[in-house]
Amino acid sequence: MKHNRSVLQNRKISFEQLGFIDYKEAWEYQEKLFNSVLHIKAQNRSAAPEAQVPTTNYLLFCSHPHVYTLGKSGHESHLLIGEEGLKAKDATYYKINRGGDITYHGPGQLVGYPILDLDNFFTDIHKYLRYLEEAIILTLNDYQVTAGRIAGLTGVWLDHEEQRNPRKICAMGVKCSRWVTMHGFAFNINTDLNYFNNIVPCGIADKQVTSLAKELGREVEMAEVEEKLLGHLASLFEASILKTANEKGY
């Protein structure tokens, strides 16, 4: 029995700022929200039309202590340090269930985890990724930093056209099941880029990584970037973003 999407579509997104949070704790919280949305979808499939309920969309912003994460399609050899090296860097390491290769999360990075039911917006995972990228690109434009895409590579890049010194400023890796998403993007704002020297970022050995602070030559207020990014995400997804009362802030 198919539901009436025009009735059930929910374009409201519940936003929560988790602040500085352990990676595993945030991952488990994502899983909890992700599974709650899948549960509602499963119930709707067997319910009469009048008994069906809209699914909830979530958006989490946070930053993490130093951590390296390896996606399902990644190679462990792209982590260039061992257990002792991780301890020396005060960093942790996780193999996780998103797409993509290895990346780094740490202080000064804006990490976004959208847990969206794409049935509420559009059922196109490639369009979804392009919209996430576009929101970052528009946010960078607000700081007079020109960014874009490089064919065949996900994420957001600087010097993406001439590619004399292409450098990634935002990495992306998502999971999607029954059109529900999790994981997301890592936007380098005031990030210590030295931590990227311990990996082959996203499995790409011949390109650099950068941050907004490095490009501007100054530190940037994280909350300011967050507000700009939220506005662009709301516009692109034609959504209302509802802030929760228990935000921790950075």
Side-chain angles (χ1 to χ4, degrees):
M1 183 181 296
K2 293 184 178 180
H3 62 246
N4 185 339
R5 284 180 56 184
S6 64
V7 173
L8 289 180
Q9 270 194 329
N10 172 27
R11 287 183 176 266
K12 294 177 181 177
I13 300 174
S14 178
F15 171 75
E16 194 172 349
Q17 170 54 263
L18 300 180
F20 191 62
I21 183 173
D22 177 76
Y23 182 83
K24 191 169 187 293
E25 184 182 349
W27 185 13
E28 289 172 350
Y29 186 45
Q30 277 193 82
E31 291 274 10
K32 177 183 175 182
L33 298 178
F34 177 79
N35 288 328
S36 73
V37 179
L38 287 177
H39 179 68
I40 293 171
K41 294 194 81 167
Q43 287 186 318
N44 281 343
R45 280 197 300 275
S46 58
E50 63 275 9
Q52 295 174 9
V53 296
T55 51
T56 305
N57 306 294
Y58 301 94
L59 174 61
L60 311 175
F61 277 3
C62 63
S63 61
H64 297 304
H66 304 298
V67 59
Y68 297 103
T69 67
L70 182 71
K72 290 188 297 182
S73 56
H75 300 278
E76 283 198 75
S77 61
H78 292 160
L79 176 65
L80 305 178
I81 55 175
E83 193 171 325
E84 290 301 316
L86 288 169
K87 286 180 182 177
K89 291 286 184 180
D90 196 25
T92 53
Y93 170 64
Y94 291 101
K95 297 178 186 177
I96 62 172
N97 59 348
R98 61 161 169 79
D101 207 293
I102 197 164
T103 196
Y104 161 77
H105 299 308
Q109 189 182 67
L110 175 52
V111 180
Y113 297 128
I115 298 108
L116 307 182
D117 180 2
L118 294 183
D119 267 322
N120 289 322
F121 302 96
F122 46 77
T123 49
D124 185 332
I125 192 65
H126 295 289
K127 182 177 179 179
Y128 170 68
L129 286 166
R130 301 297 83 78
Y131 272 27
L132 294 184
E133 290 168 347
E134 188 66 20
I136 302 293
I137 291 167
L138 292 171
T139 300
L140 288 166
N141 286 346
D142 290 336
Y143 290 92
Q144 289 74 55
V145 174
T146 302
R149 303 172 183 84
I150 294 178
L153 302 175
T154 57
V156 177
W157 298 80
L158 276 56
D159 189 21
H160 60 292
E161 293 179 340
E162 292 186 358
Q163 295 189 37
R164 293 177 180 174
N165 179 29
R167 49 211 185 273
K168 180 179 274 191
I169 197 166
C170 182
M172 295 189 180
V174 303
K175 173 184 175 180
C176 185
S177 177
R178 295 184 178 175
W179 297 115
V180 181
T181 68
M182 66 176 288
H183 297 295
F185 58 84
F187 186 6
N188 295 328
I189 310 300
N190 302 314
T191 316
D192 181 351
L193 300 176
N194 289 319
Y195 276 81
F196 285 98
N197 296 333
N198 304 312
I199 60 173
V200 180
C202 303
I204 303 167
D206 62 342
K207 293 179 174 60
Q208 301 299 310
V209 177
T210 191
S211 68
L212 184 54
K214 182 177 181 180
E215 297 300 322
L216 296 179
R218 62 176 174 86
E219 284 215 347
V220 186
E221 178 61 47
M222 296 285 284
E224 179 185 87
V225 179
E226 177 184 300
E227 284 302 312
K228 293 179 186 296
L229 181 54
L230 283 175
H232 293 307
L233 286 167
S235 178
L236 287 163
F237 284 89
E238 298 179 356
S240 300
I241 296 182
L242 311 175
K243 294 187 177 182
T244 60
N246 60 336
E247 292 179 28
K248 296 179 183 178
Y250 286 95

